[in-house]
Amino acid sequence: MPSTERGASTAPGTRATPPTRAWATRLVVVGIVLTALNLRPAITSLGALLEEVRDGLGMSGSVAGLLTSVPPLCFAVFGVTAPRLARRFGPAAVVCAGMAAITAGLLIRPYAGGTAGFLVASALALMGIAVSNVLMPVIVKRWFPDRVGSMTGLYSMALALGTSSAAAVTVPLTGALGGGWQSGLAVWAGLAAAAVLPWLPLARNRGAAPAREPVRVAPDGQAAPLRITRSRTAWALAVFFGLQATAAYITMGWMAQIFRDAGVPAGTAGLLLAVTMVMGVPLAFVIPRLATRLPHQGPIVLALGVCGLAGYAGLYLAPAGGAWAWAVLLGIANCAFPLALTMVGMRARTGAGVAQLSAFAQSTGYLISIPGPLLVGVLYQHSGGWGLPIALMAGLMLPQMAVGFLAGRDRTVEDEAGRA
């Protein structure tokens, strides 16, 4: 029986919380969607206005490069704190605080008055994103243990929609608001503020949370943490997460430039990137639902990897001639992200296990992803073309397929890791 459908009966040495309340369940669904919508606009809205921000702040090229590397670094550093915070305050309270941090960061950074203030405020928003990234699979597992696939799909679809919408409408919104880049960035704080609201009553009323799942306790009555680093599945999932994130950041950062260097007009290159990002909206809903119905998610990993390899081959052989096909194929390949999130929920039996696995896989994975986009830039600069960078992208897809296949096996980290 798949791990997401295992029974929730309370065994000796376990504890349980009161039954779920219908009003709280509805609030959780709203909160999940609004939270997911806010997990990328802080990044993609800045990408749309990066040239204006650089000019406005007098930012050097090296600092701008550092700014593009800050998101995965913050996700790795702050994400690892999420399980501890969730154990102390509850997942809903931490996500609520995360949305408030995003709101504050997005409001402050355009008006911070300098590069240092801009970076600090950006880090505040990214801190809120980091803890929410980790805790979304935990909340899905706790509240919807029998609907992990559909709820992860809903969350992933909303995340993809927020990502692509911010990239597409930030520039028009900036023009409609008077043309200042400050207002074009600050406007996204309104969406983050709306995401705070559904979590407030959930954070205040922790008794509404359903933790019907068994939680193994130590002799002192505290939940015994997993030795997560002893689990081969956890390591496979962490490396898979890191390699798919590497591919996604390379795609978002460099794909439009590849097309432009091949002679594709700048406007069309932007549309091609938008197509790649929009592919994640419908597929992010379909893939998690399919994944939870299979005993082994490896075949999905391999299918996505083949699409990625075909897309990279097309970029190398005929970047302009088949541009739309390559954009679609790479968009399909980038849906390894919702698949990874789904497997986080499936590879642990309990909410506490999902929290540890999510923090480990995402923090380790985002650390792995940091060098990729920078290395592509170095290879491009020193080779004078896209042959070597594209070869690197295709080369990284092979280990991604291998570790993803291992992570897709029907087993849980509790069976492998043991308790501390």
Side-chain angles (χ1 to χ4, degrees):
M1 182 177 293
S3 60
T4 53
E5 296 177 358
R6 288 185 171 92
S9 59
T10 303
T14 65
R15 58 177 178 238
T17 58
T20 307
R21 299 178 183 175
W23 67 266
T25 303
R26 289 191 287 269
L27 272 181
V28 170
V29 173
V30 173
I32 287 172
V33 172
L34 286 176
T35 297
L37 287 172
N38 279 283
L39 293 183
R40 294 299 181 269
I43 303 168
T44 51
S45 63
L46 176 59
L49 295 174
L50 185 57
E51 184 175 345
E52 289 80 2
V53 172
R54 286 184 60 187
D55 292 341
L57 296 177
M59 191 181 295
S60 68
S62 59
V63 173
L66 172 65
L67 190 61
T68 61
S69 300
V70 165
L73 179 62
C74 286
F75 294 165
V77 171
F78 296 121
V80 75
T81 67
R84 182 177 299 176
L85 293 172
R87 285 195 298 269
R88 181 169 181 181
F89 302 106
V94 177
V95 173
C96 184
M99 294 299 104
I102 296 172
T103 304
L106 294 184
L107 276 177
I108 293 169
R109 75 175 180 177
Y111 308 105
T115 299
F118 191 92
L119 287 169
V120 171
S122 294
L124 175 62
L126 292 168
M127 178 176 65
I129 294 172
V131 294
S132 302
N133 272 338
V134 170
L135 293 180
M136 280 296 98
V138 178
I139 288 172
V140 167
K141 180 73 169 183
R142 291 186 66 194
W143 286 85
F144 308 99
D146 300 321
R147 289 183 283 162
V148 170
S150 59
M151 292 306 301
T152 302
L154 179 65
Y155 152 67
S156 301
M157 185 172 63
L159 190 151
L161 182 62
T163 303
S164 55
S165 297
V169 308
T170 294
V171 172
L173 269 178
T174 301
L177 294 171
W181 61 267
Q182 292 90 345
S183 57
L185 292 182
V187 69
W188 294 101
L191 183 62
V196 174
L197 301 179
W199 297 110
L200 284 173
L202 293 166
R204 294 173 61 185
N205 188 0
R206 293 181 63 177
R212 293 173 297 170
E213 64 201 13
V215 179
R216 187 67 54 189
V217 295
D220 61 0
Q222 299 296 315
L226 291 168
R227 293 174 176 145
I228 198 74
T229 56
R230 294 189 176 185
S231 167
R232 293 182 180 180
T233 297
W235 277 108
L237 191 50
V239 177
F240 176 66
F241 195 97
L243 291 174
Q244 66 80 27
T246 300
Y249 279 107
I250 290 173
T251 299
M252 287 188 288
W254 292 108
M255 195 179 79
Q257 190 65 49
I258 295 174
F259 286 130
R260 291 182 69 173
D261 287 353
V264 176
T268 304
L271 284 176
L272 288 165
L273 180 58
V275 166
T276 298
M277 296 168 68
V278 166
M279 288 298 298
V281 176
L283 290 178
F285 187 71
V286 173
I287 288 175
R289 291 171 63 89
L290 176 62
T292 55
R293 292 175 178 153
L294 296 176
H296 193 315
Q297 290 73 49
I300 304 178
V301 171
L302 298 180
L304 297 179
V306 168
C307 288
L309 290 173
Y312 292 137
L315 284 180
Y316 181 81
L317 296 172
W324 294 101
W326 319 142
V328 169
L329 285 169
L330 291 174
I332 295 172
N334 280 348
C335 288
F337 175 69
L339 177 60
L341 291 179
T342 306
M343 288 196 289
V344 167
M346 297 180 70
R347 298 286 86 88
R349 285 196 296 267
T350 66
V354 172
Q356 279 191 260
L357 178 58
S358 182
F360 176 74
Q362 294 199 44
S363 295
T364 304
Y366 281 123
L367 281 176
I368 292 171
S369 74
I370 291 172
L374 299 176
L375 184 56
V376 165
V378 170
L379 289 175
Y380 173 57
Q381 181 177 348
H382 287 279
S383 68
W386 286 106
L388 283 177
I390 291 173
L392 172 66
M393 299 176 209
L396 290 176
M397 186 60 69
L398 297 176
Q400 177 181 321
M401 295 165 69
V403 294
F405 191 87
L406 292 176
R409 295 174 297 175
D410 186 16
R411 57 193 64 191
T412 65
V413 292
E414 287 91 349
D415 294 333
E416 297 178 342
R419 296 280 176 177

